[in-house]
Short mmCIF file of all heavy atoms in Angstrom, two decimals:
data_model
loop_
_atom_site.label_atom_id
_atom_site.label_comp_id
_atom_site.label_asym_id
_atom_site.label_seq_id
_atom_site.Cartn_x
_atom_site.Cartn_y
_atom_site.Cartn_z
N LEU A 165 0.83 -1.19 0.00
CA LEU A 165 0.00 0.00 0.00
C LEU A 165 0.87 1.25 0.00
O LEU A 165 1.67 1.46 0.91
CB LEU A 165 -0.91 0.00 1.23
CG LEU A 165 -1.98 1.09 1.28
CD1 LEU A 165 -2.97 0.92 0.14
CD2 LEU A 165 -2.70 1.06 2.62
N ARG A 166 0.72 2.08 -1.01
CA ARG A 166 1.37 3.37 -1.05
C ARG A 166 0.43 4.43 -0.48
O ARG A 166 -0.76 4.20 -0.32
CB ARG A 166 1.75 3.75 -2.49
CG ARG A 166 2.61 2.74 -3.20
CD ARG A 166 4.02 2.69 -2.65
NE ARG A 166 4.88 1.85 -3.46
CZ ARG A 166 5.06 0.55 -3.25
NH1 ARG A 166 4.43 -0.05 -2.26
NH2 ARG A 166 5.87 -0.15 -4.02
N GLU A 167 0.98 5.56 -0.19
CA GLU A 167 0.17 6.64 0.36
C GLU A 167 -0.84 7.11 -0.67
O GLU A 167 -0.50 7.46 -1.80
CB GLU A 167 1.08 7.80 0.79
CG GLU A 167 0.34 8.94 1.45
CD GLU A 167 1.27 10.04 1.91
OE1 GLU A 167 2.50 9.90 1.72
OE2 GLU A 167 0.78 11.05 2.43
N GLY A 168 -2.13 7.10 -0.29
CA GLY A 168 -3.18 7.57 -1.19
C GLY A 168 -3.59 6.56 -2.25
O GLY A 168 -4.24 6.93 -3.23
N THR A 169 -3.26 5.28 -2.07
CA THR A 169 -3.64 4.26 -3.06
C THR A 169 -5.14 4.04 -3.03
O THR A 169 -5.75 3.86 -1.97
CB THR A 169 -2.92 2.94 -2.76
OG1 THR A 169 -1.51 3.16 -2.81
CG2 THR A 169 -3.29 1.88 -3.78
N THR A 170 -5.75 4.03 -4.21
CA THR A 170 -7.21 3.90 -4.33
C THR A 170 -7.59 2.52 -4.83
O THR A 170 -6.75 1.73 -5.29
CB THR A 170 -7.77 4.97 -5.27
OG1 THR A 170 -7.18 4.81 -6.57
CG2 THR A 170 -7.46 6.37 -4.75
N LEU A 171 -8.89 2.24 -4.79
CA LEU A 171 -9.41 0.94 -5.20
C LEU A 171 -9.16 0.67 -6.67
O LEU A 171 -8.72 -0.43 -7.05
CB LEU A 171 -10.91 0.88 -4.88
CG LEU A 171 -11.64 -0.38 -5.35
CD1 LEU A 171 -11.13 -1.60 -4.62
CD2 LEU A 171 -13.15 -0.22 -5.17
N THR A 172 -9.45 1.63 -7.54
CA THR A 172 -9.29 1.40 -8.98
C THR A 172 -7.83 1.12 -9.34
O THR A 172 -7.56 0.31 -10.23
CB THR A 172 -9.79 2.62 -9.77
OG1 THR A 172 -9.11 3.80 -9.29
CG2 THR A 172 -11.29 2.80 -9.58
N ARG A 173 -6.90 1.77 -8.66
CA ARG A 173 -5.48 1.53 -8.96
C ARG A 173 -5.08 0.11 -8.57
O ARG A 173 -4.35 -0.56 -9.31
CB ARG A 173 -4.61 2.54 -8.23
CG ARG A 173 -3.13 2.27 -8.37
CD ARG A 173 -2.29 3.40 -7.84
NE ARG A 173 -2.43 4.60 -8.65
CZ ARG A 173 -1.70 5.70 -8.50
NH1 ARG A 173 -0.78 5.77 -7.57
NH2 ARG A 173 -1.89 6.74 -9.29
N VAL A 174 -5.55 -0.36 -7.44
CA VAL A 174 -5.20 -1.71 -7.00
C VAL A 174 -5.75 -2.76 -7.94
O VAL A 174 -5.07 -3.71 -8.31
CB VAL A 174 -5.71 -1.93 -5.55
CG1 VAL A 174 -5.67 -3.40 -5.19
CG2 VAL A 174 -4.85 -1.14 -4.57
N ILE A 175 -7.00 -2.60 -8.35
CA ILE A 175 -7.59 -3.58 -9.28
C ILE A 175 -6.88 -3.54 -10.62
O ILE A 175 -6.68 -4.58 -11.27
CB ILE A 175 -9.10 -3.31 -9.43
CG1 ILE A 175 -9.81 -3.57 -8.09
CG2 ILE A 175 -9.70 -4.17 -10.53
CD1 ILE A 175 -11.30 -3.32 -8.12
N ALA A 176 -6.46 -2.37 -11.05
CA ALA A 176 -5.70 -2.29 -12.31
C ALA A 176 -4.36 -3.01 -12.19
O ALA A 176 -3.88 -3.62 -13.16
CB ALA A 176 -5.50 -0.84 -12.70
N GLN A 177 -3.73 -2.96 -11.01
CA GLN A 177 -2.43 -3.60 -10.83
C GLN A 177 -2.52 -5.12 -10.90
O GLN A 177 -1.54 -5.78 -11.22
CB GLN A 177 -1.82 -3.18 -9.50
CG GLN A 177 -1.28 -1.76 -9.50
CD GLN A 177 -0.65 -1.39 -8.17
OE1 GLN A 177 -1.32 -1.38 -7.13
NE2 GLN A 177 0.63 -1.10 -8.18
N VAL A 178 -3.67 -5.68 -10.60
CA VAL A 178 -3.82 -7.15 -10.68
C VAL A 178 -4.46 -7.58 -11.99
O VAL A 178 -4.91 -8.73 -12.13
CB VAL A 178 -4.65 -7.68 -9.49
CG1 VAL A 178 -3.91 -7.44 -8.20
CG2 VAL A 178 -6.04 -7.05 -9.45
N GLY A 179 -4.53 -6.68 -12.96
CA GLY A 179 -5.01 -7.05 -14.30
C GLY A 179 -6.46 -6.73 -14.58
O GLY A 179 -6.96 -7.04 -15.66
N GLY A 180 -7.17 -6.15 -13.60
CA GLY A 180 -8.57 -5.79 -13.81
C GLY A 180 -9.52 -6.92 -13.48
O GLY A 180 -9.14 -8.08 -13.29
N ALA A 181 -10.81 -6.54 -13.38
CA ALA A 181 -11.85 -7.52 -13.06
C ALA A 181 -12.19 -8.36 -14.29
O ALA A 181 -12.10 -7.90 -15.42
CB ALA A 181 -13.10 -6.79 -12.56
N ARG A 182 -12.57 -9.63 -14.03
CA ARG A 182 -12.89 -10.58 -15.10
C ARG A 182 -14.26 -11.21 -14.81
O ARG A 182 -14.40 -11.96 -13.85
CB ARG A 182 -11.81 -11.67 -15.20
CG ARG A 182 -10.44 -11.18 -15.62
CD ARG A 182 -10.44 -10.76 -17.08
NE ARG A 182 -9.10 -10.42 -17.54
CZ ARG A 182 -8.58 -9.20 -17.48
NH1 ARG A 182 -9.30 -8.23 -16.96
NH2 ARG A 182 -7.38 -8.95 -17.92
N ASP A 183 -15.25 -10.85 -15.67
CA ASP A 183 -16.59 -11.43 -15.53
C ASP A 183 -17.07 -11.33 -14.08
O ASP A 183 -17.48 -12.32 -13.47
CB ASP A 183 -16.58 -12.89 -16.00
CG ASP A 183 -18.00 -13.46 -16.12
OD1 ASP A 183 -18.95 -12.65 -16.25
OD2 ASP A 183 -18.15 -14.69 -16.04
N ALA A 184 -16.96 -10.12 -13.53
CA ALA A 184 -17.26 -9.92 -12.12
C ALA A 184 -18.53 -9.12 -11.94
O ALA A 184 -19.02 -8.45 -12.86
CB ALA A 184 -16.10 -9.21 -11.44
N LYS A 185 -19.07 -9.20 -10.75
CA LYS A 185 -20.24 -8.41 -10.38
C LYS A 185 -19.73 -7.09 -9.82
O LYS A 185 -19.54 -6.93 -8.61
CB LYS A 185 -21.06 -9.18 -9.36
CG LYS A 185 -22.45 -8.62 -9.15
CD LYS A 185 -23.25 -9.55 -8.26
CE LYS A 185 -24.69 -9.02 -8.12
NZ LYS A 185 -25.50 -9.93 -7.26
N GLU A 186 -19.48 -6.13 -10.72
CA GLU A 186 -18.77 -4.92 -10.35
C GLU A 186 -19.61 -4.00 -9.47
O GLU A 186 -19.06 -3.10 -8.83
CB GLU A 186 -18.32 -4.17 -11.61
CG GLU A 186 -17.33 -4.95 -12.45
CD GLU A 186 -16.83 -4.14 -13.63
OE1 GLU A 186 -17.41 -3.06 -13.89
OE2 GLU A 186 -15.86 -4.57 -14.29
N GLU A 187 -20.94 -4.21 -9.43
CA GLU A 187 -21.77 -3.31 -8.62
C GLU A 187 -21.65 -3.61 -7.13
O GLU A 187 -22.08 -2.81 -6.29
CB GLU A 187 -23.24 -3.41 -9.04
CG GLU A 187 -23.55 -2.89 -10.44
CD GLU A 187 -23.24 -3.93 -11.51
OE1 GLU A 187 -22.80 -5.05 -11.12
OE2 GLU A 187 -23.42 -3.65 -12.70
N LYS A 188 -21.10 -4.77 -6.77
CA LYS A 188 -21.07 -5.16 -5.36
C LYS A 188 -19.68 -5.68 -4.97
O LYS A 188 -19.55 -6.82 -4.51
CB LYS A 188 -22.14 -6.20 -5.08
CG LYS A 188 -23.55 -5.65 -5.14
CD LYS A 188 -24.56 -6.67 -4.67
CE LYS A 188 -25.98 -6.09 -4.67
NZ LYS A 188 -26.97 -7.06 -4.17
N LEU A 189 -18.67 -4.87 -5.19
CA LEU A 189 -17.35 -5.22 -4.66
C LEU A 189 -17.37 -5.01 -3.15
O LEU A 189 -18.03 -4.10 -2.63
CB LEU A 189 -16.27 -4.35 -5.29
CG LEU A 189 -15.55 -4.94 -6.52
CD1 LEU A 189 -16.51 -5.06 -7.68
CD2 LEU A 189 -14.35 -4.08 -6.88
N ARG A 190 -16.61 -5.85 -2.45
CA ARG A 190 -16.58 -5.77 -0.99
C ARG A 190 -15.15 -5.49 -0.51
O ARG A 190 -14.19 -6.05 -1.04
CB ARG A 190 -17.10 -7.05 -0.36
CG ARG A 190 -18.54 -7.38 -0.69
CD ARG A 190 -18.99 -8.64 0.01
NE ARG A 190 -20.35 -9.00 -0.33
CZ ARG A 190 -20.68 -9.80 -1.33
NH1 ARG A 190 -19.73 -10.33 -2.08
NH2 ARG A 190 -21.95 -10.08 -1.59
N ILE A 191 -15.09 -4.62 0.46
CA ILE A 191 -13.81 -4.34 1.12
C ILE A 191 -13.95 -4.78 2.58
O ILE A 191 -14.79 -4.25 3.32
CB ILE A 191 -13.46 -2.84 1.06
CG1 ILE A 191 -13.33 -2.39 -0.40
CG2 ILE A 191 -12.15 -2.56 1.81
CD1 ILE A 191 -13.08 -0.89 -0.54
N TYR A 192 -13.14 -5.76 2.97
CA TYR A 192 -13.13 -6.24 4.35
C TYR A 192 -12.03 -5.49 5.09
O TYR A 192 -10.85 -5.64 4.78
CB TYR A 192 -12.88 -7.75 4.40
CG TYR A 192 -13.96 -8.56 3.70
CD1 TYR A 192 -13.89 -8.82 2.34
CD2 TYR A 192 -15.04 -9.06 4.41
CE1 TYR A 192 -14.88 -9.55 1.70
CE2 TYR A 192 -16.04 -9.81 3.79
CZ TYR A 192 -15.95 -10.04 2.43
OH TYR A 192 -16.94 -10.77 1.79
N ARG A 193 -12.45 -4.68 6.06
CA ARG A 193 -11.51 -3.79 6.76
C ARG A 193 -11.42 -4.20 8.23
O ARG A 193 -12.41 -4.28 8.93
CB ARG A 193 -11.95 -2.35 6.63
CG ARG A 193 -11.04 -1.33 7.31
CD ARG A 193 -11.30 0.04 6.75
NE ARG A 193 -10.93 0.11 5.33
CZ ARG A 193 -11.25 1.12 4.53
NH1 ARG A 193 -11.97 2.13 4.99
NH2 ARG A 193 -10.86 1.11 3.26
N LYS A 194 -10.18 -4.44 8.65
CA LYS A 194 -9.94 -4.86 10.03
C LYS A 194 -9.57 -3.65 10.87
O LYS A 194 -8.68 -2.88 10.52
CB LYS A 194 -8.81 -5.89 10.07
CG LYS A 194 -8.63 -6.56 11.41
CD LYS A 194 -7.59 -7.66 11.31
CE LYS A 194 -7.45 -8.38 12.64
NZ LYS A 194 -6.43 -9.47 12.56
N LYS A 195 -10.27 -3.48 12.00
CA LYS A 195 -10.02 -2.37 12.90
C LYS A 195 -9.58 -2.89 14.26
O LYS A 195 -10.04 -3.95 14.70
CB LYS A 195 -11.26 -1.49 13.05
CG LYS A 195 -11.67 -0.78 11.77
CD LYS A 195 -12.84 0.16 12.02
CE LYS A 195 -13.19 0.95 10.77
NZ LYS A 195 -14.31 1.89 11.01
N PRO A 196 -8.68 -2.18 14.94
CA PRO A 196 -8.21 -2.65 16.26
C PRO A 196 -9.35 -2.72 17.27
O PRO A 196 -10.13 -1.78 17.43
CB PRO A 196 -7.18 -1.59 16.67
CG PRO A 196 -6.79 -0.90 15.40
CD PRO A 196 -8.01 -0.95 14.53
N ASN A 197 -9.43 -3.88 17.92
CA ASN A 197 -10.40 -4.11 19.00
C ASN A 197 -11.84 -3.91 18.56
O ASN A 197 -12.72 -3.55 19.36
CB ASN A 197 -10.10 -3.18 20.19
CG ASN A 197 -8.70 -3.36 20.73
OD1 ASN A 197 -8.18 -4.49 20.77
ND2 ASN A 197 -8.06 -2.26 21.13
N GLN A 198 -12.10 -4.11 17.26
CA GLN A 198 -13.46 -3.96 16.75
C GLN A 198 -13.73 -5.08 15.76
O GLN A 198 -12.81 -5.66 15.17
CB GLN A 198 -13.65 -2.61 16.05
CG GLN A 198 -13.56 -1.40 16.97
CD GLN A 198 -13.82 -0.10 16.24
OE1 GLN A 198 -14.30 -0.10 15.11
NE2 GLN A 198 -13.50 1.01 16.89
N PRO A 199 -15.01 -5.41 15.56
CA PRO A 199 -15.35 -6.43 14.56
C PRO A 199 -14.95 -5.97 13.15
O PRO A 199 -14.85 -4.78 12.87
CB PRO A 199 -16.87 -6.58 14.69
CG PRO A 199 -17.20 -6.01 16.02
CD PRO A 199 -16.19 -4.94 16.29
N GLN A 200 -14.71 -6.92 12.29
CA GLN A 200 -14.33 -6.60 10.90
C GLN A 200 -15.47 -5.87 10.21
O GLN A 200 -16.63 -6.27 10.28
CB GLN A 200 -13.97 -7.89 10.17
CG GLN A 200 -13.58 -7.67 8.71
CD GLN A 200 -13.12 -8.95 8.05
OE1 GLN A 200 -11.94 -9.20 7.91
NE2 GLN A 200 -14.07 -9.79 7.67
N GLU A 201 -15.12 -4.81 9.51
CA GLU A 201 -16.10 -4.01 8.80
C GLU A 201 -16.15 -4.44 7.34
O GLU A 201 -15.12 -4.67 6.70
CB GLU A 201 -15.74 -2.52 8.89
CG GLU A 201 -16.71 -1.60 8.19
CD GLU A 201 -16.28 -0.15 8.24
OE1 GLU A 201 -15.17 0.12 8.76
OE2 GLU A 201 -17.03 0.73 7.75
N VAL A 202 -17.36 -4.58 6.81
CA VAL A 202 -17.56 -4.95 5.41
C VAL A 202 -18.16 -3.75 4.69
O VAL A 202 -19.26 -3.28 5.03
CB VAL A 202 -18.47 -6.18 5.27
CG1 VAL A 202 -18.64 -6.54 3.79
CG2 VAL A 202 -17.91 -7.36 6.05
N ILE A 203 -17.45 -3.25 3.68
CA ILE A 203 -17.88 -2.08 2.92
C ILE A 203 -18.20 -2.52 1.50
O ILE A 203 -17.35 -3.11 0.81
CB ILE A 203 -16.78 -1.00 2.90
CG1 ILE A 203 -16.37 -0.63 4.33
CG2 ILE A 203 -17.25 0.23 2.15
CD1 ILE A 203 -15.16 0.28 4.40
N THR A 204 -19.42 -2.24 1.05
CA THR A 204 -19.83 -2.59 -0.31
C THR A 204 -19.72 -1.35 -1.19
O THR A 204 -20.24 -0.27 -0.83
CB THR A 204 -21.27 -3.12 -0.33
OG1 THR A 204 -21.36 -4.27 0.52
CG2 THR A 204 -21.67 -3.53 -1.74
N VAL A 205 -19.05 -1.48 -2.33
CA VAL A 205 -18.85 -0.34 -3.23
C VAL A 205 -19.30 -0.73 -4.63
O VAL A 205 -19.28 -1.91 -5.01
CB VAL A 205 -17.36 0.10 -3.26
CG1 VAL A 205 -16.92 0.60 -1.92
CG2 VAL A 205 -16.47 -1.04 -3.73
N ASN A 206 -19.72 0.27 -5.39
CA ASN A 206 -20.14 0.08 -6.77
C ASN A 206 -18.94 0.44 -7.66
O ASN A 206 -18.72 1.60 -7.99
CB ASN A 206 -21.34 0.96 -7.09
CG ASN A 206 -21.95 0.64 -8.44
OD1 ASN A 206 -21.30 0.06 -9.32
ND2 ASN A 206 -23.22 1.03 -8.63
N TYR A 207 -18.19 -0.60 -8.04
CA TYR A 207 -16.97 -0.38 -8.82
C TYR A 207 -17.29 0.18 -10.21
O TYR A 207 -16.55 1.00 -10.75
CB TYR A 207 -16.20 -1.69 -8.93
CG TYR A 207 -14.92 -1.60 -9.71
CD1 TYR A 207 -13.91 -0.72 -9.34
CD2 TYR A 207 -14.70 -2.39 -10.83
CE1 TYR A 207 -12.73 -0.62 -10.06
CE2 TYR A 207 -13.53 -2.32 -11.56
CZ TYR A 207 -12.54 -1.43 -11.17
OH TYR A 207 -11.38 -1.34 -11.89
#
C-alpha cells in the first residue's frame, strides 16, 4: 500500500476484473479491538 492508493489503482495492478459483479465489490476492513467491517462499493 502506497500513500493515497485507491481501489481502482489496486484492481488495475492485478489485471482488472474478469466477468465480475462490479456493482457489489466488498472491502473487508480490520479495525483494532473492533469487529471486521464490510464495505460494499459500486466499482
Side-chain angles (χ1 to χ4, degrees):
L165 188 64
R166 304 290 187 269
E167 184 178 359
T169 301
T170 60
L171 176 65
T172 55
R173 174 170 292 188
V174 165
I175 294 179
Q177 286 181 298
V178 295
R182 295 289 186 270
D183 191 22
K185 194 173 184 179
E186 297 184 349
E187 293 82 0
K188 290 188 177 181
L189 266 67
R190 299 182 182 91
I191 300 176
Y192 298 87
R193 180 161 295 168
K194 190 174 182 180
K195 294 185 176 181
N197 302 323
Q198 293 182 14
Q200 179 175 260
E201 181 183 4
V202 180
I203 305 172
T204 302
V205 296
N206 189 338
Y207 180 57

